[in-house]
Amino acid sequence: MEQKDDKQYQKMTKTPIHKLIPLMAVPTIISMLVTAIYNMADTYFVSKLGTSASGAVGILFSMMAIIQAVGFTIGMGAGSQISRLLGKKDDEYAGKVATSAVLSGIVMGILIAVIGICFLNPITRMLGATETIVPYAVDYGRYIFLATPMMITSFVLNNLLRSEGKAKYSMIGILFGGLLNIGLDPLLIFVFHMGISGAAVATAISQTISMLVLFYPYVRKKTVLYLSIKKIAPQFRVYWEILKFGLPSLFRQGLASIASVLLNRSAAEYGDSAVAAMSIVAKVFMVLFSVLIGFGQGYQPVVGYNYGAGIYKRVREAFWFTLKVGTAVMTIFAAGTYFFAPNLIQMFLKDDMNVKEIGTMALRMQCLAMPLMALGVVSNMTFQAVGKTVAATFLTSMRQGIFFIPLILLLPGFIGILGVEIAQPIADAVTFIFCIPYMIFFLKRLQSEEGKGAKKK
């Protein structure tokens, strides 16, 4: 076991950065892409049932963002610690954190499922469903809540595997579940005539299978860390640290959910077509954005390991490499998406011209801000990876919280539907500006620490 642990340590602290980050990131990008694509598949197949059904998926997307927020808070809160602990070679405490995180995920999943099922109808209305969308949203949401414990546990396991550098196993679990979901969608919706409920059942089944696949490496002892009932921590401090270090993820995902609700409510003022259009734009954008997020999540354990080991030069090198690649990729995506925006929107609802018009404008406006987004993502992921919770939480709150929420509440009142379409791109541009001084200060401090370490040697 020690030999295996040392081999992983050497890989994370010695492999050249330009090789290590892509090695870690490619499985994560595939995982993120598959997740985004099967979310988009739900929208695509459900859109064949009509505009209101398509809007229902958009409404429940914000609820799924809350579920994801809980999973990522626990998973990334534990993962942030685990990477640094393994960098310090404290495998025992890292195993305790991992096991306690899985338990926390299961408990929180059950709690959310019970609340969601009991208050399903008022929840869908609170999320912005119109009277014509509510019946579809209720049918869809019922099965999503039933699958919540499995969904949250999957998110936790996914992050734990990545935190110790086992992104390949994480990818296999997500890939298996995602492909299964895409295959089950048309089967259950159209062949078994389950309608929108079929899309939700497909998600529930695939998330359960994905969770079991993600457990497999731990059962077969193919990981650095082992999960065991004996390692469940009785101390409150362990759970508090998981929450503390996961706080940026809670704000990132939680604010994404709030932003989605406010966006749906603002769009609903202009009818079901506007809700459906913004839902489609969100799904298309998530496919593109997932590449950047996946690259960033491949970068995080590299930063955590090397920061924990005190190798600050590699932390700085990893930051610049990830920022350059992320910016280049998002620029290419922005150019292609801007040009093909009408075609992408028409893939979903070809006969609704209002959806095409609103969706095309919103997607093109988002493309203008895409090249700026890499700095925001890499910045907050850096601070989370090194345990700087306050800075990470503030930076992650800007894009869909501090800037977006006031914009989506105010702009539509002045410029109508255009305000709905441009609120997020403006928030992205302002976030970019605010991240610059934070990263300049952090990188200078790292260089100073590196110099002190060199003098001691």
Side-chain angles (χ1 to χ4, degrees):
M1 178 179 170
E2 287 183 11
Q3 187 178 7
K4 182 172 71 172
D5 294 355
D6 188 62
K7 182 180 178 182
Q8 184 69 10
Y9 179 86
Q10 293 298 321
K11 171 187 170 183
M12 298 297 287
T13 58
K14 301 292 184 184
T15 306
I17 291 295
H18 69 277
K19 293 181 179 178
L20 180 60
I21 291 180
L23 184 70
M24 299 291 295
V26 168
T28 310
I29 290 171
I30 293 172
S31 299
M32 292 296 297
L33 273 174
V34 169
T35 301
I37 289 169
Y38 82 64
N39 279 331
M40 194 164 68
D42 272 0
T43 303
Y44 175 78
F45 291 116
V46 170
S47 69
K48 305 306 174 187
L49 302 173
T51 300
S52 296
S54 184
V57 176
I59 293 295
L60 265 298
F61 183 68
S62 54
M63 188 63 240
M64 291 177 73
I66 293 174
I67 294 168
Q68 192 175 40
V70 175
F72 270 81
T73 298
I74 298 168
M76 294 190 79
S80 171
Q81 292 182 78
I82 287 166
S83 292
R84 295 193 303 276
L85 289 167
L86 293 177
K88 295 175 183 176
K89 297 192 174 184
D90 189 353
D91 295 7
E92 182 60 33
Y93 191 69
K96 182 181 290 189
V97 171
T99 303
S100 302
V102 173
L103 175 66
S104 301
I106 294 170
V107 171
M108 286 302 298
I110 293 170
L111 184 63
I112 292 172
V114 171
I115 293 172
I117 292 168
C118 290
F119 300 98
L120 184 53
N121 198 292
I123 286 173
T124 58
R125 293 176 186 277
M126 183 185 70
L127 294 175
T130 63
E131 287 301 321
T132 50
I133 288 176
V134 166
Y136 292 100
V138 168
D139 286 345
Y140 189 82
R142 184 178 299 111
Y143 296 100
I144 294 299
F145 279 118
L146 283 172
T148 298
M150 285 70 79
M151 292 171 71
I152 291 179
T153 306
S154 291
F155 289 131
V156 173
L157 291 168
N158 179 28
N159 282 284
L160 295 182
L161 287 166
R162 285 193 297 100
S163 71
E164 61 171 273
K166 302 292 184 181
K168 180 179 71 175
Y169 292 124
S170 168
M171 176 195 71
I172 292 170
I174 300 299
L175 186 63
F176 196 91
L179 293 176
L180 181 63
N181 196 348
I182 292 169
L184 287 174
D185 264 341
L187 182 68
L188 297 180
I189 294 171
F190 304 116
V191 178
F192 288 94
H193 306 290
M194 293 179 67
I196 195 170
S197 296
V201 172
T203 298
I205 293 172
S206 64
Q207 286 291 329
T208 302
I209 299 298
S210 180
M211 179 194 71
L212 295 174
V213 174
L214 289 167
F215 262 122
Y216 180 79
Y218 290 105
V219 174
R220 299 292 296 173
K221 301 190 185 306
K222 293 184 177 291
T223 53
V224 175
L225 304 176
Y226 297 142
L227 301 178
S228 169
I229 294 176
K230 295 178 181 178
K231 291 189 176 183
I232 294 173
Q235 304 95 334
F236 174 77
R237 177 174 61 89
V238 175
Y239 301 95
W240 167 246
E241 287 177 345
I242 290 173
L243 176 62
K244 182 177 75 172
F245 291 118
L247 205 58
S249 296
L250 178 63
F251 273 75
R252 184 186 304 123
Q253 300 296 136
L255 286 171
S257 181
I258 294 170
S260 181
V261 172
L262 294 175
L263 183 64
N264 286 329
R265 284 182 171 275
S266 296
E269 296 293 322
Y270 306 93
D272 285 6
S273 292
V275 176
M278 297 311 296
S279 172
I280 291 167
V281 169
K283 295 297 176 70
V284 172
F285 174 69
M286 267 316 298
V287 172
L288 306 175
F289 193 46
S290 65
V291 176
L292 179 61
I293 296 293
F295 204 80
Q297 289 181 348
Y299 155 80
Q300 272 190 305
V302 176
V303 171
Y305 256 91
N306 287 280
Y307 190 84
I311 312 173
Y312 301 129
K313 181 180 179 181
R314 282 174 64 82
V315 174
R316 290 191 295 111
E317 189 181 343
F319 169 80
W320 286 114
F321 176 79
T322 306
L323 179 62
K324 289 173 185 176
V325 173
T327 302
V329 169
M330 292 306 286
T331 301
I332 293 168
F333 283 168
T337 305
Y338 189 95
F339 183 78
F340 290 107
N343 308 78
L344 290 170
I345 300 300
Q346 279 193 296
M347 282 172 53
F348 295 88
L349 285 169
K350 185 163 49 177
D351 299 326
D352 193 325
M353 288 300 105
N354 285 334
V355 170
K356 179 185 175 182
E357 183 181 344
I358 296 168
T360 298
M361 174 62 80
L363 190 54
R364 282 181 166 168
M365 291 299 100
Q366 187 63 64
C367 287
L368 297 179
M370 274 189 203
L372 307 178
M373 296 177 67
L375 180 62
V377 170
V378 180
S379 297
N380 73 64
M381 286 188 169
T382 299
F383 284 111
Q384 185 173 16
V386 302
K388 305 295 182 184
T389 305
V390 175
T393 302
F394 176 70
L395 291 179
T396 202
S397 299
M398 290 194 295
R399 179 177 181 261
Q400 292 191 299
I402 295 170
F403 300 130
F404 176 78
I405 290 176
L407 287 168
I408 196 62
L409 290 175
L410 295 174
L411 286 180
F414 291 100
I415 54 178
I417 187 65
L418 180 62
V420 178
E421 295 165 337
I422 66 173
Q424 188 63 72
I426 293 174
D428 290 337
V430 181
T431 298
F432 170 82
I433 295 168
F434 269 76
C435 285
I436 294 172
Y438 266 83
M439 288 315 301
I440 289 174
F441 178 80
F442 175 73
L443 292 170
K444 282 184 176 180
R445 191 178 68 78
L446 269 188
Q447 197 165 13
S448 174
E449 291 294 327
E450 187 184 329
K452 290 177 185 177
K455 287 180 182 179
K456 289 180 182 178
K457 291 178 181 179

